[in-house]
Amino acid sequence: MSVITSTARVLAGAALVALAAAPMVAGAEEPARQQRVRFDGADVFRTYCVVCHGETAKGDGPLSTQLRKAPADLTLFAKNNQGAFPKELVAKIIDGREPVKGHGGGDMPVWGDAFSRSAEDSDPESVKQKIQALVGYIESIQQK
């Protein structure tokens, strides 16, 4: 088994373990079955993305050198898109269940699947909210 394959498996396993500890804040005044889960994008990023993309999201995380393809610099989406941040594209890339040509790949986890298999917050609405929280955070760190 290659180092890259082993690393990818370790990353996937670590991501699934981290899913159980995902940060969330729920509205206390709503009935339990109707609570809308809210996720903080920076916390979700630190939990799932920093290991590859790094603290500053520039693709320099601790495992970045062990991957076949260097992780993307997530601060350049708007700059590379004539100044407009492509929210829908970024959400699709993060989700990964519908591959986007030229994005993601074998090294990037399919977060839509991983989030939907977590011990908590695995319902479709929570998965969508977690992805949207990440999109919002990535939008907030775009280079001017």
Side-chain angles (χ1 to χ4, degrees), residues 89 92-93 95-105 110:
L89 175 64
K92 285 182 180 180
I93 292 169
D95 185 304
R97 291 177 284 189
E98 294 178 28
V100 177
K101 187 175 181 179
H103 294 87
V110 177

Side-chain angles (χ1 to χ4, degrees), residues 2 43-44 53 62-63 92 97 104 106 121 133:
S2 73
D43 287 341
V44 177
H53 292 283
L63 291 181
K92 285 182 180 180
R97 291 177 284 189
D121 307 317

Side-chain angles (χ1 to χ4, degrees), residues 52-67:
C52 293
H53 292 283
E55 290 285 336
T56 61
K58 294 188 177 285
D60 58 353
L63 291 181
S64 64
T65 59
Q66 297 179 29
L67 301 173

Side-chain angles (χ1 to χ4, degrees), residues 2-20:
S2 73
V3 171
I4 293 171
T5 304
S6 296
T7 301
R9 287 188 178 163
V10 168
L11 281 173
L16 291 174
V17 168
L19 285 169

